[in-house]
Amino acid sequence: MENKNRDKVLEVKNLKTYFFTEDGIVKAVDGVDFEVYQGETLGLVGESGCGKSVTAFSILKLLDYPGKTVEGQILFKEDDLLKKSEEQMRKIRGKEIAMIFQEPMTSLNPVFTIGFQIAESLKVHYKMSNLEARKKVIELLEKVGIPIPEQRVDEYPHQLSGGMRQRAMIAMALACDPVLLIADEPTTSLDVTIQAQILELMKTLLKQFNSSLIMITHDLGVIAEIADRIAVMYAGKIVEYTDTRSIFFSPLHPYTFGLLTSIPRLDMEMEKLESIPGVVPDPLHFPEGCKFHPRCGFATERCRKEEPSLLEIENGHIVRCWQVDRVREEAKKIAFTRRLAVVE
Amino acid sequence: MNNSLISIKNLVKYFPIKKGVFRSTVGWIKAVDKISFDIYNGETLGLVGESGCGKSTTALTILRLEEPTSGEIFFQGENISSINKKQMRKYRKDLQIIFQDPYSSLDPRMKIKNIIAEGLAAHNLLDSRTRVQKVGELLERVGIPPDYMDRFPHEFSGGQRQRIGIARALALNPKMIICDEAVSALDVSIRSQIINLFKELQSEFNLTYLFIAHDLSVIKYISDRVAVMYLGKIVEIAPKDIFFKNTLHPYAIALVSAVPVPNPDFKRKRILLPGDVPSPANPPKGCRFHPRCQKVMEICSQVEPELKKLDKDHYVSCHLY
Ligand SMILES: Nc1ncnc2c1ncn2[C@@H]1O[C@H](COP(=O)(O)OP(=O)(O)OP(=O)(O)O)[C@@H](O)[C@H]1O
Ligand SMILES: Nc1ncnc2c1ncn2[C@@H]1O[C@H](COP(=O)(O)OP(=O)(O)OP(=O)(O)O)[C@@H](O)[C@H]1O
Ligand code: SF4
Ligand code: SF4
Ligand SMILES: [Mg+2]
Ligand SMILES: [Mg+2]
């Protein structure tokens, strides 16, 4: 893929983050590998509990007890973050890698003005004076489309609407020109017209800043819109990893395939929604073999016994499944009608 | 309309804004402000709109769980908007509601068999043995093993709890079920299971649905007709196919264009609305959408548009039409 020539910003290798709970070990992230290139957006998708947020927290080393990264490497500009001290991490967080959370209220402090909070990282990382920082903050607020920024800069988070708060969060994340942004469901709690505003804004700013983004979401529509490449997670592992068009038009993993046929959509007429039977497995009692096998229509005896590994099936298309050929045939039928249905 | 199960005329629901030590009323939140529409027998009417536009208030007022400020609600032709609580009881079993969060709507201390049979008991229907049998049948129908009936809500997953909520709603053989964001909190793979269950049950039990959701893709899949709300008003109602082929209200057009589509090749013109939804305590004069509308005209800030019938069954409230 063309990415091979671009600079790798982040490389996550065999990341394992477990929670050591009273009931047992929750293998929240269990051997995850991916990379992020300069200027691209990598989408991390999957259903609730599959390990998306824990992956993000692991990268920034923000895990709380009883969570612990037990194995792996997180190479950021070729340096392993897992080997860094807390003090070194503090220099990276907010400056080189910034994060945007789902609920801005949890990451904005209610007792400080938004201007103060955004200026904070400028003062810490760039040693700016109050006046310089304030000027820069107003500039940033303007960039993220907050009207009358000279006034808004002195307001408290509760004085802003949900959409405006998320804009302020984005301004805060971009304040120090981070190389990498991690956005964990940044639009999930917003209304769709506001979500559309924020997505457009993120796309524009990413180009402007030439930053890379890891976009975490469970919304396949959002991911189709913003991601260059996508990693689909299931039960703590990546099950499919490739460019966005391949995920949507020629998925090779039964789970991805199942997700795509279970979502109602605006772009085509659907007679019937498919659904994936059963539920996501309890992380304390993962099934033997392929973790998806109890829900998988393609499962065979082998799937119940042996866990498949992630393999590059086609150029840059990486899949964790024993039955890729059968899935490909099925997906072709569906993908074909899908494409036909796209009338512009 | 004689095949209307529910008919709402000029329904208004204001909530008082109270301030100060004496809790005096300083203003009103105009949650639902003079809306009229019908829900036809056996159909699914999808009600869509953004947070705070009044969808839940509409639902609760229809059920008289909130008292209407003014206006009328007819159920099978009978005016139920001003009858007293006792008279209302006889309609209760016909009108059920399922909420978004199945967890908070199921009493955590009750076994699910008692949760499901609660309505039967309250209406003195069936003896206790037949009740248990009925609970078993209902559980089976919604896809939960009947021998789980002695378990408590926390022993079930989100999708299963929603199934339990559905079983409870079905227990009294209702005519209509209002689904208020009933699938919104569920994961994709579980959501489609529940949507399909709703569809199957509809034909099996001859149900009418008022299906409230903020996700237009879900609304498109499940509804026969679509109603769009904005700031306490219905701005457009039409049969689904007509609505999606020929969306007319500028807000509805923007809403449709904002929905993310899981197709990277799907190209369309997206209308980005400026600003936020104004407060329902202080809605803009004239057309409530006018400060954000790209098609705004002179008249729009002065005169409130009426919901007008354009084509057969296509209603829009906008001065453009
Ligand atoms: N503090 C904790 N203690 C125990 N288990 C935890 C803890 N935090 C997360 N987990 C578990 O780790 C797994 C992965 O959680 P994670 O938050 O990464 O999911 P997610 O993919 O972000 O889901 P969502 O879409 O719901 O945000 C889940 O099974 C979760 O229950
Ligand atoms: N009991 C109440 N007291 C005061 N205000 C209320 C009450 N219930 C609702 N409101 C207000 O009425 C308006 C409409 O609320 P409603 O819950 O009907 O919206 P909704 O369309 O269901 O939104 P959502 O999509 O967030 O569920 C909102 O401004 C809300 O804050
Ligand atoms: S390995 Fe087997 S069970 Fe797992 S996804 Fe592939 S076909 Fe299904
Ligand atoms: S009435 Fe005027 S402001 Fe309102 S939607 Fe129509 S054109 Fe826009
Ligand atoms: Mg998460
Ligand atoms: Mg609501």
Side-chain angles (χ1 to χ4, degrees), chain A residues 8-75:
Chain A
K8 235 181 241 176
V9 172
L10 183 81
E11 187 169 5
V12 174
K13 285 184 171 173
N14 194 31
L15 179 71
K16 295 190 177 173
T17 298
Y18 296 171
F19 290 89
F20 297 86
T21 69
E22 276 174 23
D23 301 324
I25 301 173
V26 175
K27 297 183 174 176
V29 174
D30 199 18
V32 159
D33 300 78
F34 61 82
E35 52 277 323
V36 184
Y37 294 90
Q38 174 71 47
E40 79 158 348
T41 294
L42 174 74
L44 213 52
V45 286
E47 295 177 286
S48 190
C50 69
K52 305 180 297 292
S53 298
V54 172
T55 301
F57 285 122
S58 305
I59 293 170
L60 284 166
K61 300 223 282 181
L62 287 170
L63 291 163
D64 288 326
Y65 178 83
K68 192 171 177 338
T69 296
V70 294
E71 214 180 306
Q73 284 180 307
I74 297 169
L75 302 176

Side-chain angles (χ1 to χ4, degrees), chain A residues 262 273-279 295, chain B residues 159 163 188-198 200:
Chain A
S262 339
L273 272 192
E274 298 300 326
S275 51
I276 304 175
V279 293
R295 308 178 72 190
Chain B
R163 291 176 193 271
V188 175
S189 72
I190 308 300
R191 193 177 64 184
S192 67
Q193 294 172 3
I194 302 291
I195 293 175
N196 284 338
L197 178 62
F198 274 127
E200 290 162 25

Side-chain angles (χ1 to χ4, degrees), chain B residues 249-251 287-290 293-297 300 305 317-320:
Chain B
H249 194 281
Y251 171 67
C287 170
R288 293 175 185 206
F289 184 56
H290 87 259
C293 182
Q294 292 185 320
K295 299 276 169 70
V296 59
M297 303 169 288
C300 302
S317 116
C318 168
H319 292 302
L320 287 171

